[in-house]
Amino acid sequence: GSRLVATASQRSWVEHGPDCDFPVQNLPFGVFACSQGGPRCATAIGNYAVDLAALAEAGLLAGLPFDASETFKQATLNAFMGMSRTSWRATRARLSELFVEGGDDSLRTSELRKSILRPLAEVEMQLPAAIGDYTDFYSSREHATNVGIMFRGKDNALQPNWLHLPVGYHGRASSVVVSGTPIVRPCGQLQADNDDPMKGSVFGPSKLLDFELEVGLFVGGKPPPMGRRLTMEEAEEHMFGLVVMNDWSARDIQKWEYVPLGPFGAKNFGTTISPWVVSLDALEPYRCATSAGKQDPEPLPYLQDPNYSSYDMKLEVDLVTPQEGDAPSTTTTISKSNFRHLYWSVRQQLVHHAVTGCNMRPGDLLGSGTISGQDPGSYGSMLELSWRGRDEIPLNGGGVRKFIKDHDSIVMRGICGGSDGLPRIGFGSCAGQVLPAQA
């Protein structure tokens, strides 16, 4: 337990450039498959995926408080997620020893090194966990205010409950996919007349397809059984790590369906996550105040977070257009936000979810809700960037968008640090291309 992970200035013997997502301070967890088989559990260092099953087979994880060989040859991280935070920490500490310059040289000098380190370009990343349940929150005040103004006007922008609890809904776990998976444009019911709902609906493909820039939390540990709440003191024992997340949204389907029970088909056709789960320990040096600073009104006692904060994680969204005829593919960064624009913290979200005695399970996924900042360039959805389709979003190369067109790709990334002497911690890409609706 006394082994420490790498300090900010340490480097790995695995070479990589300064803009790499995976220095020795990160050591995230994921699942990959490659030509040699799989899927199996992994970490990432530099431009390599590290086969944790092979590392365990080589005897290099022998000191861990669990059967590493059995745990890491699984096709998902669920078994590892279900262990204690002590086990997660011991694993990252051991990996740090093996990969830090001047640490334990046994992997560096091993003839197994080539079979354990696989270039990221040659592996296929998988969904990191079998996701039992997926819940999506609505916890950025800036986003909730923008959407409220659009649909209800300035005076009723936030519903009366919003500042008292983290609003959320249960999403669909079966359609959460790993980065790189294409998303088919959904069809559904659309309001026939935008101004008069009494005229009913028509069937067709969504015309207002959107992204939502979010961060997802994977639940871990051994959460309390059904009927017992999870307390704020326990919360971090049950937070395995974070991913970048795109909650694809069909705004026209949403408009017609969402009263009174909230989103349904508008959200259930696809949610994309980045492949690497980054631990709270790796993110700890980047903890910062939220954009709100403090919560007013003060939350009820069970929701009070003595470490009320978020993470200084820069979030960016690129819209990539396809190559069409003579027109080349273009990439435009259309949003730059930050995870500190979160009014309700991930700890508060988890605690509120379980306050009823709802039993959480390792591998459950909790979405933060769209993360928008104050200025328009930091809005985390096209609904906001185009202000309901009123404004055009300019693209590099002269094109414009209001919503997502067929064959467009949305690419999100999250980055902590990279300046002020702090290492750059990333999540890998969270990307998906939209394919045309089914005929």
Side-chain angles (χ1 to χ4, degrees), residues 224-259:
M226 183 173 162
R228 186 169 93 62
R229 342 188 246 283
L230 192 153
T231 65
M232 192 62 73
E233 291 67 49
E234 302 170 288
E236 291 204 358
E237 301 294 316
H238 301 295
M239 296 169 67
F240 180 76
L242 304 182
V243 291
V244 177
M245 185 175 124
N246 179 356
D247 180 22
W248 302 88
S249 300
R251 300 300 182 189
D252 38 8
I253 295 174
Q254 186 174 358
K255 178 181 176 169
W256 174 240
E257 78 178 1
Y258 87 104
V259 177

PDB file of all heavy atoms in Angstrom, residues 224-259:
ATOM      1  N   PRO A 224     -23.647  -0.488  -1.720  1.00  0.00           N
ATOM      2  CA  PRO A 224     -24.592  -1.037  -0.732  1.00  0.00           C
ATOM      3  C   PRO A 224     -25.705  -1.833  -1.406  1.00  0.00           C
ATOM      4  O   PRO A 224     -26.036  -1.580  -2.565  1.00  0.00           O
ATOM      5  CB  PRO A 224     -25.171   0.213  -0.053  1.00  0.00           C
ATOM      6  CG  PRO A 224     -24.234   1.321  -0.372  1.00  0.00           C
ATOM      7  CD  PRO A 224     -23.548   0.965  -1.648  1.00  0.00           C
ATOM      8  N   PRO A 225     -26.293  -2.788  -0.690  1.00  0.00           N
ATOM      9  CA  PRO A 225     -27.403  -3.564  -1.251  1.00  0.00           C
ATOM     10  C   PRO A 225     -28.648  -2.695  -1.416  1.00  0.00           C
ATOM     11  O   PRO A 225     -28.740  -1.609  -0.831  1.00  0.00           O
ATOM     12  CB  PRO A 225     -27.635  -4.644  -0.190  1.00  0.00           C
ATOM     13  CG  PRO A 225     -27.150  -4.036   1.095  1.00  0.00           C
ATOM     14  CD  PRO A 225     -25.996  -3.162   0.709  1.00  0.00           C
ATOM     15  N   MET A 226     -29.605  -3.198  -2.197  1.00  0.00           N
ATOM     16  CA  MET A 226     -30.870  -2.505  -2.398  1.00  0.00           C
ATOM     17  C   MET A 226     -31.507  -2.205  -1.042  1.00  0.00           C
ATOM     18  O   MET A 226     -31.527  -3.051  -0.154  1.00  0.00           O
ATOM     19  CB  MET A 226     -31.788  -3.419  -3.221  1.00  0.00           C
ATOM     20  CG  MET A 226     -33.104  -2.819  -3.576  1.00  0.00           C
ATOM     21  SD  MET A 226     -33.948  -3.956  -4.693  1.00  0.00           S
ATOM     22  CE  MET A 226     -35.627  -3.349  -4.547  1.00  0.00           C
ATOM     23  N   GLY A 227     -31.989  -0.965  -0.900  1.00  0.00           N
ATOM     24  CA  GLY A 227     -32.627  -0.577   0.354  1.00  0.00           C
ATOM     25  C   GLY A 227     -31.720   0.234   1.268  1.00  0.00           C
ATOM     26  O   GLY A 227     -32.194   0.844   2.224  1.00  0.00           O
ATOM     27  N   ARG A 228     -30.404   0.263   1.000  1.00  0.00           N
ATOM     28  CA  ARG A 228     -29.514   1.091   1.817  1.00  0.00           C
ATOM     29  C   ARG A 228     -28.896   2.192   0.966  1.00  0.00           C
ATOM     30  O   ARG A 228     -28.411   1.936  -0.120  1.00  0.00           O
ATOM     31  CB  ARG A 228     -28.398   0.236   2.429  1.00  0.00           C
ATOM     32  CG  ARG A 228     -27.552   1.075   3.406  1.00  0.00           C
ATOM     33  CD  ARG A 228     -26.607   0.251   4.242  1.00  0.00           C
ATOM     34  NE  ARG A 228     -25.260   0.095   3.693  1.00  0.00           N
ATOM     35  CZ  ARG A 228     -24.403   1.093   3.468  1.00  0.00           C
ATOM     36  NH1 ARG A 228     -24.742   2.355   3.690  1.00  0.00           N
ATOM     37  NH2 ARG A 228     -23.200   0.849   2.992  1.00  0.00           N
ATOM     38  N   ARG A 229     -28.945   3.437   1.476  1.00  0.00           N
ATOM     39  CA  ARG A 229     -28.388   4.526   0.684  1.00  0.00           C
ATOM     40  C   ARG A 229     -26.873   4.524   0.715  1.00  0.00           C
ATOM     41  O   ARG A 229     -26.260   3.974   1.610  1.00  0.00           O
ATOM     42  CB  ARG A 229     -28.790   5.914   1.163  1.00  0.00           C
ATOM     43  CG  ARG A 229     -29.918   6.117   2.031  1.00  0.00           C
ATOM     44  CD  ARG A 229     -30.196   7.612   2.179  1.00  0.00           C
ATOM     45  NE  ARG A 229     -29.955   8.063   3.538  1.00  0.00           N
ATOM     46  CZ  ARG A 229     -30.790   7.836   4.513  1.00  0.00           C
ATOM     47  NH1 ARG A 229     -31.905   7.165   4.301  1.00  0.00           N
ATOM     48  NH2 ARG A 229     -30.522   8.265   5.727  1.00  0.00           N
ATOM     49  N   LEU A 230     -26.327   5.200  -0.278  1.00  0.00           N
ATOM     50  CA  LEU A 230     -24.876   5.368  -0.373  1.00  0.00           C
ATOM     51  C   LEU A 230     -24.581   6.798   0.083  1.00  0.00           C
ATOM     52  O   LEU A 230     -25.219   7.742  -0.393  1.00  0.00           O
ATOM     53  CB  LEU A 230     -24.505   5.155  -1.836  1.00  0.00           C
ATOM     54  CG  LEU A 230     -23.065   4.988  -2.278  1.00  0.00           C
ATOM     55  CD1 LEU A 230     -23.051   4.152  -3.553  1.00  0.00           C
ATOM     56  CD2 LEU A 230     -22.440   6.330  -2.555  1.00  0.00           C
ATOM     57  N   THR A 231     -23.639   6.981   0.997  1.00  0.00           N
ATOM     58  CA  THR A 231     -23.410   8.311   1.566  1.00  0.00           C
ATOM     59  C   THR A 231     -22.305   9.064   0.814  1.00  0.00           C
ATOM     60  O   THR A 231     -21.508   8.459   0.094  1.00  0.00           O
ATOM     61  CB  THR A 231     -22.980   8.201   3.046  1.00  0.00           C
ATOM     62  OG1 THR A 231     -21.706   7.537   3.093  1.00  0.00           O
ATOM     63  CG2 THR A 231     -24.001   7.396   3.855  1.00  0.00           C
ATOM     64  N   MET A 232     -22.270  10.362   1.030  1.00  0.00           N
ATOM     65  CA  MET A 232     -21.237  11.197   0.405  1.00  0.00           C
ATOM     66  C   MET A 232     -19.834  10.743   0.832  1.00  0.00           C
ATOM     67  O   MET A 232     -18.901  10.763   0.039  1.00  0.00           O
ATOM     68  CB  MET A 232     -21.465  12.670   0.781  1.00  0.00           C
ATOM     69  CG  MET A 232     -20.653  13.652  -0.025  1.00  0.00           C
ATOM     70  SD  MET A 232     -21.036  13.625  -1.797  1.00  0.00           S
ATOM     71  CE  MET A 232     -22.651  14.424  -1.823  1.00  0.00           C
ATOM     72  N   GLU A 233     -19.700  10.285   2.094  1.00  0.00           N
ATOM     73  CA  GLU A 233     -18.397   9.821   2.595  1.00  0.00           C
ATOM     74  C   GLU A 233     -17.910   8.595   1.807  1.00  0.00           C
ATOM     75  O   GLU A 233     -16.718   8.416   1.609  1.00  0.00           O
ATOM     76  CB  GLU A 233     -18.481   9.441   4.085  1.00  0.00           C
ATOM     77  CG  GLU A 233     -18.698  10.627   5.027  1.00  0.00           C
ATOM     78  CD  GLU A 233     -20.074  11.289   4.861  1.00  0.00           C
ATOM     79  OE1 GLU A 233     -21.094  10.563   4.849  1.00  0.00           O
ATOM     80  OE2 GLU A 233     -20.122  12.526   4.722  1.00  0.00           O
ATOM     81  N   GLU A 234     -18.849   7.764   1.368  1.00  0.00           N
ATOM     82  CA  GLU A 234     -18.492   6.528   0.649  1.00  0.00           C
ATOM     83  C   GLU A 234     -18.336   6.732  -0.855  1.00  0.00           C
ATOM     84  O   GLU A 234     -17.839   5.843  -1.542  1.00  0.00           O
ATOM     85  CB  GLU A 234     -19.608   5.485   0.793  1.00  0.00           C
ATOM     86  CG  GLU A 234     -19.997   5.067   2.174  1.00  0.00           C
ATOM     87  CD  GLU A 234     -21.273   4.234   2.143  1.00  0.00           C
ATOM     88  OE1 GLU A 234     -22.366   4.788   1.898  1.00  0.00           O
ATOM     89  OE2 GLU A 234     -21.176   3.012   2.351  1.00  0.00           O
ATOM     90  N   ALA A 235     -18.809   7.870  -1.356  1.00  0.00           N
ATOM     91  CA  ALA A 235     -19.012   8.014  -2.803  1.00  0.00           C
ATOM     92  C   ALA A 235     -17.785   7.635  -3.627  1.00  0.00           C
ATOM     93  O   ALA A 235     -17.886   6.863  -4.581  1.00  0.00           O
ATOM     94  CB  ALA A 235     -19.462   9.437  -3.141  1.00  0.00           C
ATOM     95  N   GLU A 236     -16.606   8.148  -3.267  1.00  0.00           N
ATOM     96  CA  GLU A 236     -15.433   7.934  -4.131  1.00  0.00           C
ATOM     97  C   GLU A 236     -14.952   6.485  -4.121  1.00  0.00           C
ATOM     98  O   GLU A 236     -14.240   6.063  -5.028  1.00  0.00           O
ATOM     99  CB  GLU A 236     -14.309   8.910  -3.764  1.00  0.00           C
ATOM    100  CG  GLU A 236     -14.693  10.334  -4.147  1.00  0.00           C
ATOM    101  CD  GLU A 236     -13.511  11.256  -4.359  1.00  0.00           C
ATOM    102  OE1 GLU A 236     -12.363  10.828  -4.185  1.00  0.00           O
ATOM    103  OE2 GLU A 236     -13.756  12.426  -4.718  1.00  0.00           O
ATOM    104  N   GLU A 237     -15.348   5.712  -3.116  1.00  0.00           N
ATOM    105  CA  GLU A 237     -15.029   4.279  -3.118  1.00  0.00           C
ATOM    106  C   GLU A 237     -15.776   3.556  -4.242  1.00  0.00           C
ATOM    107  O   GLU A 237     -15.459   2.416  -4.582  1.00  0.00           O
ATOM    108  CB  GLU A 237     -15.425   3.637  -1.775  1.00  0.00           C
ATOM    109  CG  GLU A 237     -14.737   4.241  -0.558  1.00  0.00           C
ATOM    110  CD  GLU A 237     -13.232   3.992  -0.556  1.00  0.00           C
ATOM    111  OE1 GLU A 237     -12.829   2.864  -0.856  1.00  0.00           O
ATOM    112  OE2 GLU A 237     -12.485   4.946  -0.247  1.00  0.00           O
ATOM    113  N   HIS A 238     -16.795   4.216  -4.779  1.00  0.00           N
ATOM    114  CA  HIS A 238     -17.658   3.591  -5.790  1.00  0.00           C
ATOM    115  C   HIS A 238     -17.576   4.296  -7.144  1.00  0.00           C
ATOM    116  O   HIS A 238     -18.443   4.136  -7.990  1.00  0.00           O
ATOM    117  CB  HIS A 238     -19.095   3.550  -5.274  1.00  0.00           C
ATOM    118  CG  HIS A 238     -19.209   2.783  -3.997  1.00  0.00           C
ATOM    119  ND1 HIS A 238     -18.959   1.430  -3.913  1.00  0.00           N
ATOM    120  CD2 HIS A 238     -19.466   3.195  -2.734  1.00  0.00           C
ATOM    121  CE1 HIS A 238     -19.080   1.036  -2.666  1.00  0.00           C
ATOM    122  NE2 HIS A 238     -19.385   2.089  -1.930  1.00  0.00           N
ATOM    123  N   MET A 239     -16.494   5.091  -7.331  1.00  0.00           N
ATOM    124  CA  MET A 239     -16.307   5.806  -8.582  1.00  0.00           C
ATOM    125  C   MET A 239     -15.053   5.255  -9.259  1.00  0.00           C
ATOM    126  O   MET A 239     -13.938   5.596  -8.880  1.00  0.00           O
ATOM    127  CB  MET A 239     -16.205   7.306  -8.298  1.00  0.00           C
ATOM    128  CG  MET A 239     -17.510   7.832  -7.716  1.00  0.00           C
ATOM    129  SD  MET A 239     -17.418   9.509  -7.051  1.00  0.00           S
ATOM    130  CE  MET A 239     -17.151  10.445  -8.522  1.00  0.00           C
ATOM    131  N   PHE A 240     -15.243   4.363 -10.238  1.00  0.00           N
ATOM    132  CA  PHE A 240     -14.104   3.699 -10.869  1.00  0.00           C
ATOM    133  C   PHE A 240     -13.310   4.651 -11.761  1.00  0.00           C
ATOM    134  O   PHE A 240     -12.090   4.605 -11.818  1.00  0.00           O
ATOM    135  CB  PHE A 240     -14.580   2.494 -11.681  1.00  0.00           C
ATOM    136  CG  PHE A 240     -13.462   1.752 -12.357  1.00  0.00           C
ATOM    137  CD1 PHE A 240     -12.627   0.920 -11.622  1.00  0.00           C
ATOM    138  CD2 PHE A 240     -13.229   1.896 -13.719  1.00  0.00           C
ATOM    139  CE1 PHE A 240     -11.577   0.234 -12.236  1.00  0.00           C
ATOM    140  CE2 PHE A 240     -12.182   1.216 -14.339  1.00  0.00           C
ATOM    141  CZ  PHE A 240     -11.351   0.392 -13.599  1.00  0.00           C
ATOM    142  N   GLY A 241     -14.027   5.517 -12.483  1.00  0.00           N
ATOM    143  CA  GLY A 241     -13.318   6.451 -13.356  1.00  0.00           C
ATOM    144  C   GLY A 241     -14.259   7.106 -14.350  1.00  0.00           C
ATOM    145  O   GLY A 241     -15.460   6.821 -14.386  1.00  0.00           O
ATOM    146  N   LEU A 242     -13.689   7.991 -15.171  1.00  0.00           N
ATOM    147  CA  LEU A 242     -14.466   8.820 -16.088  1.00  0.00           C
ATOM    148  C   LEU A 242     -14.113   8.545 -17.549  1.00  0.00           C
ATOM    149  O   LEU A 242     -12.996   8.143 -17.869  1.00  0.00           O
ATOM    150  CB  LEU A 242     -14.218  10.307 -15.798  1.00  0.00           C
ATOM    151  CG  LEU A 242     -14.496  10.804 -14.375  1.00  0.00           C
ATOM    152  CD1 LEU A 242     -14.248  12.313 -14.279  1.00  0.00           C
ATOM    153  CD2 LEU A 242     -15.913  10.486 -13.930  1.00  0.00           C
ATOM    154  N   VAL A 243     -15.088   8.776 -18.417  1.00  0.00           N
ATOM    155  CA  VAL A 243     -14.912   8.716 -19.876  1.00  0.00           C
ATOM    156  C   VAL A 243     -15.527   9.976 -20.489  1.00  0.00           C
ATOM    157  O   VAL A 243     -16.350  10.637 -19.862  1.00  0.00           O
ATOM    158  CB  VAL A 243     -15.602   7.476 -20.499  1.00  0.00           C
ATOM    159  CG1 VAL A 243     -14.898   6.184 -20.109  1.00  0.00           C
ATOM    160  CG2 VAL A 243     -17.094   7.417 -20.127  1.00  0.00           C
ATOM    161  N   VAL A 244     -15.133  10.297 -21.723  1.00  0.00           N
ATOM    162  CA  VAL A 244     -15.819  11.344 -22.489  1.00  0.00           C
ATOM    163  C   VAL A 244     -17.002  10.679 -23.190  1.00  0.00           C
ATOM    164  O   VAL A 244     -16.915   9.530 -23.634  1.00  0.00           O
ATOM    165  CB  VAL A 244     -14.868  11.996 -23.510  1.00  0.00           C
ATOM    166  CG1 VAL A 244     -15.606  13.030 -24.356  1.00  0.00           C
ATOM    167  CG2 VAL A 244     -13.688  12.652 -22.784  1.00  0.00           C
ATOM    168  N   MET A 245     -18.109  11.387 -23.284  1.00  0.00           N
ATOM    169  CA  MET A 245     -19.356  10.762 -23.739  1.00  0.00           C
ATOM    170  C   MET A 245     -20.133  11.685 -24.674  1.00  0.00           C
ATOM    171  O   MET A 245     -20.228  12.884 -24.430  1.00  0.00           O
ATOM    172  CB  MET A 245     -20.195  10.434 -22.501  1.00  0.00           C
ATOM    173  CG  MET A 245     -21.447   9.680 -22.766  1.00  0.00           C
ATOM    174  SD  MET A 245     -22.217   9.247 -21.182  1.00  0.00           S
ATOM    175  CE  MET A 245     -23.804   9.987 -21.477  1.00  0.00           C
ATOM    176  N   ASN A 246     -20.684  11.115 -25.738  1.00  0.00           N
ATOM    177  CA  ASN A 246     -21.574  11.840 -26.653  1.00  0.00           C
ATOM    178  C   ASN A 246     -22.948  11.199 -26.573  1.00  0.00           C
ATOM    179  O   ASN A 246     -23.157  10.080 -27.026  1.00  0.00           O
ATOM    180  CB  ASN A 246     -21.036  11.769 -28.089  1.00  0.00           C
ATOM    181  CG  ASN A 246     -21.945  12.494 -29.088  1.00  0.00           C
ATOM    182  OD1 ASN A 246     -23.012  12.993 -28.716  1.00  0.00           O
ATOM    183  ND2 ASN A 246     -21.533  12.542 -30.345  1.00  0.00           N
ATOM    184  N   ASP A 247     -23.889  11.931 -25.979  1.00  0.00           N
ATOM    185  CA  ASP A 247     -25.271  11.456 -25.900  1.00  0.00           C
ATOM    186  C   ASP A 247     -26.016  12.003 -27.126  1.00  0.00           C
ATOM    187  O   ASP A 247     -26.604  13.074 -27.081  1.00  0.00           O
ATOM    188  CB  ASP A 247     -25.900  11.954 -24.599  1.00  0.00           C
ATOM    189  CG  ASP A 247     -27.338  11.501 -24.445  1.00  0.00           C
ATOM    190  OD1 ASP A 247     -27.710  10.502 -25.081  1.00  0.00           O
ATOM    191  OD2 ASP A 247     -28.087  12.159 -23.697  1.00  0.00           O
ATOM    192  N   TRP A 248     -25.924  11.244 -28.235  1.00  0.00           N
ATOM    193  CA  TRP A 248     -26.583  11.658 -29.478  1.00  0.00           C
ATOM    194  C   TRP A 248     -28.071  11.916 -29.217  1.00  0.00           C
ATOM    195  O   TRP A 248     -28.714  11.152 -28.487  1.00  0.00           O
ATOM    196  CB  TRP A 248     -26.441  10.574 -30.540  1.00  0.00           C
ATOM    197  CG  TRP A 248     -25.031  10.205 -30.876  1.00  0.00           C
ATOM    198  CD1 TRP A 248     -24.263   9.253 -30.259  1.00  0.00           C
ATOM    199  CD2 TRP A 248     -24.210  10.766 -31.920  1.00  0.00           C
ATOM    200  NE1 TRP A 248     -23.018   9.186 -30.850  1.00  0.00           N
ATOM    201  CE2 TRP A 248     -22.950  10.088 -31.871  1.00  0.00           C
ATOM    202  CE3 TRP A 248     -24.406  11.744 -32.889  1.00  0.00           C
ATOM    203  CZ2 TRP A 248     -21.910  10.376 -32.753  1.00  0.00           C
ATOM    204  CZ3 TRP A 248     -23.369  12.031 -33.766  1.00  0.00           C
ATOM    205  CH2 TRP A 248     -22.140  11.360 -33.698  1.00  0.00           C
ATOM    206  N   SER A 249     -28.625  12.974 -29.815  1.00  0.00           N
ATOM    207  CA  SER A 249     -29.991  13.394 -29.508  1.00  0.00           C
ATOM    208  C   SER A 249     -30.728  13.838 -30.768  1.00  0.00           C
ATOM    209  O   SER A 249     -30.189  14.603 -31.564  1.00  0.00           O
ATOM    210  CB  SER A 249     -29.963  14.576 -28.522  1.00  0.00           C
ATOM    211  OG  SER A 249     -29.317  14.205 -27.323  1.00  0.00           O
ATOM    212  N   ALA A 250     -31.962  13.357 -30.915  1.00  0.00           N
ATOM    213  CA  ALA A 250     -32.809  13.747 -32.049  1.00  0.00           C
ATOM    214  C   ALA A 250     -33.813  14.775 -31.541  1.00  0.00           C
ATOM    215  O   ALA A 250     -34.805  14.427 -30.893  1.00  0.00           O
ATOM    216  CB  ALA A 250     -33.512  12.527 -32.624  1.00  0.00           C
ATOM    217  N   ARG A 251     -33.540  16.049 -31.804  1.00  0.00           N
ATOM    218  CA  ARG A 251     -34.298  17.129 -31.150  1.00  0.00           C
ATOM    219  C   ARG A 251     -35.764  17.179 -31.590  1.00  0.00           C
ATOM    220  O   ARG A 251     -36.631  17.573 -30.806  1.00  0.00           O
ATOM    221  CB  ARG A 251     -33.636  18.479 -31.433  1.00  0.00           C
ATOM    222  CG  ARG A 251     -32.208  18.592 -30.932  1.00  0.00           C
ATOM    223  CD  ARG A 251     -32.108  18.393 -29.442  1.00  0.00           C
ATOM    224  NE  ARG A 251     -30.728  18.555 -28.966  1.00  0.00           N
ATOM    225  CZ  ARG A 251     -30.339  18.275 -27.739  1.00  0.00           C
ATOM    226  NH1 ARG A 251     -31.202  17.803 -26.853  1.00  0.00           N
ATOM    227  NH2 ARG A 251     -29.078  18.443 -27.379  1.00  0.00           N
ATOM    228  N   ASP A 252     -36.039  16.809 -32.854  1.00  0.00           N
ATOM    229  CA  ASP A 252     -37.435  16.863 -33.314  1.00  0.00           C
ATOM    230  C   ASP A 252     -38.248  15.702 -32.739  1.00  0.00           C
ATOM    231  O   ASP A 252     -39.416  15.875 -32.358  1.00  0.00           O
ATOM    232  CB  ASP A 252     -37.521  16.908 -34.855  1.00  0.00           C
ATOM    233  CG  ASP A 252     -36.482  16.050 -35.556  1.00  0.00           C
ATOM    234  OD1 ASP A 252     -35.769  15.276 -34.876  1.00  0.00           O
ATOM    235  OD2 ASP A 252     -36.371  16.144 -36.793  1.00  0.00           O
ATOM    236  N   ILE A 253     -37.635  14.524 -32.642  1.00  0.00           N
ATOM    237  CA  ILE A 253     -38.313  13.403 -31.974  1.00  0.00           C
ATOM    238  C   ILE A 253     -38.554  13.764 -30.505  1.00  0.00           C
ATOM    239  O   ILE A 253     -39.631  13.527 -29.948  1.00  0.00           O
ATOM    240  CB  ILE A 253     -37.466  12.110 -32.099  1.00  0.00           C
ATOM    241  CG1 ILE A 253     -37.377  11.674 -33.572  1.00  0.00           C
ATOM    242  CG2 ILE A 253     -38.046  10.990 -31.237  1.00  0.00           C
ATOM    243  CD1 ILE A 253     -36.456  10.486 -33.833  1.00  0.00           C
ATOM    244  N   GLN A 254     -37.540  14.389 -29.897  1.00  0.00           N
ATOM    245  CA  GLN A 254     -37.625  14.776 -28.485  1.00  0.00           C
ATOM    246  C   GLN A 254     -38.765  15.755 -28.231  1.00  0.00           C
ATOM    247  O   GLN A 254     -39.513  15.621 -27.261  1.00  0.00           O
ATOM    248  CB  GLN A 254     -36.282  15.412 -28.071  1.00  0.00           C
ATOM    249  CG  GLN A 254     -36.156  15.737 -26.593  1.00  0.00           C
ATOM    250  CD  GLN A 254     -34.750  16.231 -26.225  1.00  0.00           C
ATOM    251  OE1 GLN A 254     -33.862  16.301 -27.069  1.00  0.00           O
ATOM    252  NE2 GLN A 254     -34.549  16.569 -24.972  1.00  0.00           N
ATOM    253  N   LYS A 255     -38.910  16.723 -29.123  1.00  0.00           N
ATOM    254  CA  LYS A 255     -39.917  17.774 -28.921  1.00  0.00           C
ATOM    255  C   LYS A 255     -41.333  17.189 -28.816  1.00  0.00           C
ATOM    256  O   LYS A 255     -42.133  17.614 -27.983  1.00  0.00           O
ATOM    257  CB  LYS A 255     -39.856  18.784 -30.071  1.00  0.00           C
ATOM    258  CG  LYS A 255     -40.904  19.873 -29.958  1.00  0.00           C
ATOM    259  CD  LYS A 255     -40.896  20.872 -31.097  1.00  0.00           C
ATOM    260  CE  LYS A 255     -42.054  21.846 -30.907  1.00  0.00           C
ATOM    261  NZ  LYS A 255     -41.990  22.996 -31.802  1.00  0.00           N
ATOM    262  N   TRP A 256     -41.617  16.194 -29.663  1.00  0.00           N
ATOM    263  CA  TRP A 256     -42.975  15.639 -29.726  1.00  0.00           C
ATOM    264  C   TRP A 256     -43.234  14.652 -28.586  1.00  0.00           C
ATOM    265  O   TRP A 256     -44.354  14.517 -28.116  1.00  0.00           O
ATOM    266  CB  TRP A 256     -43.173  14.970 -31.091  1.00  0.00           C
ATOM    267  CG  TRP A 256     -44.453  14.217 -31.302  1.00  0.00           C
ATOM    268  CD1 TRP A 256     -44.577  12.894 -31.600  1.00  0.00           C
ATOM    269  CD2 TRP A 256     -45.794  14.738 -31.273  1.00  0.00           C
ATOM    270  NE1 TRP A 256     -45.886  12.550 -31.745  1.00  0.00           N
ATOM    271  CE2 TRP A 256     -46.667  13.665 -31.555  1.00  0.00           C
ATOM    272  CE3 TRP A 256     -46.345  15.998 -31.027  1.00  0.00           C
ATOM    273  CZ2 TRP A 256     -48.052  13.797 -31.603  1.00  0.00           C
ATOM    274  CZ3 TRP A 256     -47.725  16.147 -31.078  1.00  0.00           C
ATOM    275  CH2 TRP A 256     -48.567  15.062 -31.368  1.00  0.00           C
ATOM    276  N   GLU A 257     -42.190  13.959 -28.119  1.00  0.00           N
ATOM    277  CA  GLU A 257     -42.412  12.859 -27.186  1.00  0.00           C
ATOM    278  C   GLU A 257     -42.203  13.187 -25.709  1.00  0.00           C
ATOM    279  O   GLU A 257     -42.700  12.476 -24.852  1.00  0.00           O
ATOM    280  CB  GLU A 257     -41.472  11.688 -27.533  1.00  0.00           C
ATOM    281  CG  GLU A 257     -40.044  11.926 -27.055  1.00  0.00           C
ATOM    282  CD  GLU A 257     -39.077  10.782 -27.321  1.00  0.00           C
ATOM    283  OE1 GLU A 257     -39.473   9.764 -27.914  1.00  0.00           O
ATOM    284  OE2 GLU A 257     -37.904  10.920 -26.928  1.00  0.00           O
ATOM    285  N   TYR A 258     -41.460  14.268 -25.385  1.00  0.00           N
ATOM    286  CA  TYR A 258     -40.866  14.302 -24.042  1.00  0.00           C
ATOM    287  C   TYR A 258     -41.808  14.696 -22.908  1.00  0.00           C
ATOM    288  O   TYR A 258     -41.511  14.458 -21.738  1.00  0.00           O
ATOM    289  CB  TYR A 258     -39.596  15.160 -24.031  1.00  0.00           C
ATOM    290  CG  TYR A 258     -39.798  16.638 -23.791  1.00  0.00           C
ATOM    291  CD1 TYR A 258     -39.509  17.207 -22.549  1.00  0.00           C
ATOM    292  CD2 TYR A 258     -40.263  17.468 -24.801  1.00  0.00           C
ATOM    293  CE1 TYR A 258     -39.676  18.557 -22.321  1.00  0.00           C
ATOM    294  CE2 TYR A 258     -40.431  18.813 -24.581  1.00  0.00           C
ATOM    295  CZ  TYR A 258     -40.143  19.359 -23.345  1.00  0.00           C
ATOM    296  OH  TYR A 258     -40.314  20.695 -23.133  1.00  0.00           O
ATOM    297  N   VAL A 259     -42.970  15.319 -23.200  1.00  0.00           N
ATOM    298  CA  VAL A 259     -43.932  15.601 -22.134  1.00  0.00           C
ATOM    299  C   VAL A 259     -44.913  14.433 -22.063  1.00  0.00           C
ATOM    300  O   VAL A 259     -45.446  14.036 -23.107  1.00  0.00           O
ATOM    301  CB  VAL A 259     -44.677  16.926 -22.423  1.00  0.00           C
ATOM    302  CG1 VAL A 259     -45.730  17.180 -21.349  1.00  0.00           C
ATOM    303  CG2 VAL A 259     -43.696  18.088 -22.492  1.00  0.00           C
TER     304      VAL A 259
END
